[in-house]
């Protein structure tokens, strides 16, 4: 390893440009004593070690060029890694062209999309941080316009005039998202098998780009969710009907992707733990089925279950409160631990995590926030401590505050490493 003669600093290793080595990645606790909150302690997923429990959740930004990531994504994603996020997950990335949510979505269905992803991976690695990618297919919710082009709360259709494909939507059954939306085509068994291969091919491209982990998107009403739900999946073949049949596509994808990624690479899955349709009076995907699914995923080599909810039906009734998704994550985590699978399958919590104390409380082993005495959100673990999840996956708060990790550390009184180039401007509690 050479030393830059002008700065006398060691360059970051393994990247094709000069930047100083971050001796400790930003966000690393400098004190490892017992008083350090769980939020700032390391966690290991197979061979992947994260120095804290902050993950940048995949966030669609509708800014790709024919599926290719651009300099926008380099700056957007790099900002979080620079400021202490241990793991940054690239936004939902389509495994086929018709699997994009919008014409401007990220994709990994062709080899030309590897290089722009690798450029971002190299930058994140230069900061000593880790990066993953979420592989997805949007199903019947594909070919919609970016949100700033539409009425708030709607998923308006992108027609051929703006690069859309409303006549080529895939779903388990030919059921439109809502009135006024295109009716998708019911997938053939051959198309389902081809889709599994598309996930495999995209995973191989992600590995070529150097990612540290891969997440399979099975949430928010996109294709895999549509297969899981008895409302949107009305098939009568091996992919519909029973719980075993409705989960078949996801489990096939998990097996196939796990079979081609390195043994030491963790595999993540995001699900909607409930589609919030219990009020409909018909069978729907719910928390109890998610618990059953979690046990299966643990046995198939999934390392982290990213627990979200909703998004599969415009008539959903969500019971919103700050911990409405963390509650479900906690229940799944409790079951896994009771079944002896808590070490095999870790749990990530999402949703409305916007303060230092809330982030701390979700993963903290012990302690309640004021006003939580009556909430059933604490999970007893074998060593007498409590937690709802093992990691927090944060989206919107990182958009508001890319330095959320460093601010959280300051507010919680934890001394952490920062970017070496920013050494003259440390974040301190008294200045927030």
């Amino acid at each position: 390893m050479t030393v830059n003669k002008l700065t006398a600093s060691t360059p970051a290793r393994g990247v094709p440009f000069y930047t100083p080595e971050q001796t400790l990645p930003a966000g690393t606790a400098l004190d490892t004593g017992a008083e350090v909150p769980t939020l700032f302690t390391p966690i290991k997923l197979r061979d992947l070690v994260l120095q804290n429990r902050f993950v940048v959740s995949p966030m669609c930004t509708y800014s790709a060029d024919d599926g290719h990531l651009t300099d926008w994504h380099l700056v957007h994603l790099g900002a979080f890694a620079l400021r202490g996020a241990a793991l940054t997950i690239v936004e939902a990335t389509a495994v086929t062209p018709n699997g994009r949510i919008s014409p401007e979505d990220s994709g990994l269905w062709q080899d030309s999309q590897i290089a722009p992803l690798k450029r971002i991976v190299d930058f994140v690695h230069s900061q000593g941080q880790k990066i993953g990618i979420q592989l997805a297919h949007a199903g019947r919710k594909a070919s919609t316009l970016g949100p700033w082009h539409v009425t708030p709360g709607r998923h308006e259709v992108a027609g051929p005039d703006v690069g859309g494909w409303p006549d080529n939507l895939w779903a388990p059954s030919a059921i439109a998202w809502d009135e006024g939306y295109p009716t998708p085509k019911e997938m053939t068994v051959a198309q389902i098998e081809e889709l599994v291969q598309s996930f495999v091919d995209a995973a191989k491209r992600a590995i070529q780009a150097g990612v540290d982990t891969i997440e399979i998107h099975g949430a928010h009403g996109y294709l895999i969710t549509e297969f899981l739900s008895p409302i949107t999946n009305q098939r009568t073949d091996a992919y519909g009907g029973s719980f075993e049949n409705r989960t078949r596509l996801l489990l096939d994808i998990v097996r196939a992707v796990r079979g081609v990624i390195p043994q030491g690479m963790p595999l993540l899955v995001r699900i909607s733990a409930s589609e919030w349709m219990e009020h409909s009076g018909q069978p729907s995907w719910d928390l109890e089925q998610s618990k059953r699914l979690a046990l299966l995923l643990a046995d198939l080599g999934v390392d982290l279950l990213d627990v979200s909810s909703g998004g599969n039906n415009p008539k959903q009734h969500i019971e919103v409160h700050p911990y409405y998704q963390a509650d479900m994550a906690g229940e799944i985590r409790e079951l896994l631990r009771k079944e002896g699978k808590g070490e095999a399958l870790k749990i990530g919590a999402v949703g409305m995590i916007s303060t230092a104390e809330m982030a701390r409380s979700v993963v903290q082993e012990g302690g309640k926030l004021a006003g939580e005495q009556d909430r059933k959100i604490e999970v007893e673990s074998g060593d007498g401590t409590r937690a709802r999840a093992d990691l927090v996956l944060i989206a919107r708060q990182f958009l508001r505050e890319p330095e959320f990790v460093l601010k959280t550390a300051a507010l919680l009184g934890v001394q952490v490493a920062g970017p070496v180039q920013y050494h003259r401007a440390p974040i301190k509690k008294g200045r927030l």
Side-chain angles (χ1 to χ4, degrees):
M1 175 61 62
T2 60
V3 174
N4 185 290
K5 294 180 180 179
L6 295 177
T7 63
S9 64
T10 303
R13 297 171 175 83
V15 296
F17 55 88
Y18 171 77
T19 187
E21 180 182 34
Q22 306 288 331
T23 307
L24 290 175
T28 302
L30 300 179
D31 185 349
T32 57
E35 69 280 3
V36 175
T38 305
L39 192 60
F40 284 96
T41 60
I43 186 169
K44 185 176 183 182
L45 303 172
R46 294 195 183 235
D47 291 346
L48 180 66
V49 178
L50 307 177
Q51 79 275 18
N52 60 48
R53 308 300 179 96
F54 289 90
V55 179
V56 178
S57 194
M59 294 179 277
C60 293
T61 59
Y62 312 97
S63 299
D65 181 5
D66 189 29
H68 298 77
L69 301 178
T70 71
D71 285 357
W72 151 261
H73 300 92
L74 174 66
V75 175
H76 163 64
L77 297 169
F80 310 127
L82 176 67
R83 293 168 174 84
L87 174 63
T88 299
I89 304 179
V90 177
E91 64 191 69
T93 297
V95 299
T96 66
N98 76 339
R100 290 171 291 169
I101 303 167
S102 80
E104 293 79 33
D105 272 26
S106 171
L108 206 49
W109 66 79
Q110 57 185 339
D111 289 350
S112 61
Q113 293 159 341
I114 297 171
L117 172 59
K118 187 178 187 303
R119 186 175 183 212
I120 297 166
V121 169
D122 285 344
F123 178 80
V124 171
H125 286 167
S126 79
Q127 302 308 300
Q129 312 289 15
K130 308 302 182 183
I131 184 167
I133 191 166
Q134 185 186 68
L135 301 181
H137 192 292
R140 67 177 184 167
K141 294 175 73 174
S143 191
T144 58
L145 296 171
W148 48 82
H149 297 299
V150 304
T151 304
R154 287 185 59 81
H155 302 276
E156 295 187 15
V157 178
D161 57 322
V162 292
W165 52 98
D167 294 331
N168 188 29
L169 304 185
W170 286 354
S173 301
I175 302 171
W177 161 255
D178 201 0
E179 293 182 11
Y181 286 83
T183 299
K185 298 175 181 178
E186 180 173 312
M187 294 178 70
T188 66
V189 172
Q191 287 173 328
I192 292 172
E193 293 171 349
E194 291 169 2
L195 176 71
V196 175
Q197 186 61 46
S198 294
F199 271 90
V200 168
D201 294 341
K204 290 179 178 178
R205 294 186 181 101
I207 293 167
Q208 289 183 57
V211 302
D212 300 293
T213 186
I214 290 171
E215 177 170 88
I216 296 168
H217 196 353
H220 302 163
Y222 300 121
L223 186 61
I224 292 175
T225 316
E226 295 163 22
F227 270 87
L228 294 175
S229 166
I231 295 178
T232 47
N233 183 349
Q234 298 182 7
R235 302 175 72 97
T236 58
D237 63 3
Y239 292 93
S242 66
F243 170 86
E244 289 76 16
N245 286 357
R246 287 181 284 111
T247 58
R248 189 181 305 277
L249 173 61
L250 174 56
L251 299 185
D252 284 351
I253 291 171
V254 166
R255 291 187 190 96
V257 172
R258 181 76 265 174
V260 298
I261 66 177
Q263 181 64 30
M265 176 182 285
L267 179 61
L268 286 54
V269 172
R270 169 170 278 193
I271 62 167
S272 284
S274 170
E275 60 179 321
W276 297 103
M277 289 295 291
E278 289 85 353
H279 67 279
S280 69
Q282 59 184 316
S284 62
W285 185 262
D286 57 20
L287 179 58
E288 292 308 309
Q289 291 173 86
S290 291
K291 291 178 181 179
R292 291 177 64 187
L293 177 62
L295 295 174
L296 297 175
L297 294 175
D299 290 339
L300 292 179
V302 175
D303 303 284
L304 179 79
L305 186 63
D306 175 358
V307 181
S308 188
S309 71
N312 196 43
N313 199 301
K315 297 180 177 62
Q316 65 187 13
H317 286 180
I318 300 178
E319 300 172 10
V320 177
H321 56 79
Y323 293 90
Y324 77 100
Q325 295 184 128
D327 283 4
M328 292 187 288
E331 288 196 38
I332 295 172
R333 185 176 188 266
E334 179 180 26
L335 174 65
L336 288 165
R337 292 167 79 86
K338 285 182 177 179
E339 295 295 327
K341 298 181 180 182
E343 288 302 313
L345 181 60
K346 303 295 186 182
I347 295 295
V350 308
M352 302 179 73
I353 299 170
S354 58
T355 67
E357 190 56 36
M358 186 174 180
R360 182 207 65 82
S361 73
V362 170
V363 299
Q364 180 60 34
E365 305 296 1
K368 291 183 178 180
L369 287 178
E372 285 186 357
Q373 290 80 359
D374 298 326
R375 297 204 52 73
K376 297 193 298 180
I377 56 178
E378 307 256 72
V379 179
E380 187 75 19
S381 71
D383 60 358
T385 58
R386 297 183 173 99
R388 302 172 182 88
D390 301 287
L391 293 164
V392 288
L393 291 98
I394 299 172
R396 296 181 187 183
Q397 193 58 29
F398 272 123
L399 298 183
R400 300 182 188 104
E401 294 183 297
E403 67 282 357
F404 184 62
V405 175
L406 303 179
K407 281 191 173 182
T408 296
L411 289 169
L412 296 182
V414 182
Q415 285 192 319
V416 297
V420 295
Q421 299 95 324
Y422 289 10
H423 69 282
R424 287 175 291 190
I427 295 177
K428 297 183 179 179
K429 185 175 182 179
R431 297 178 181 175
L432 296 177

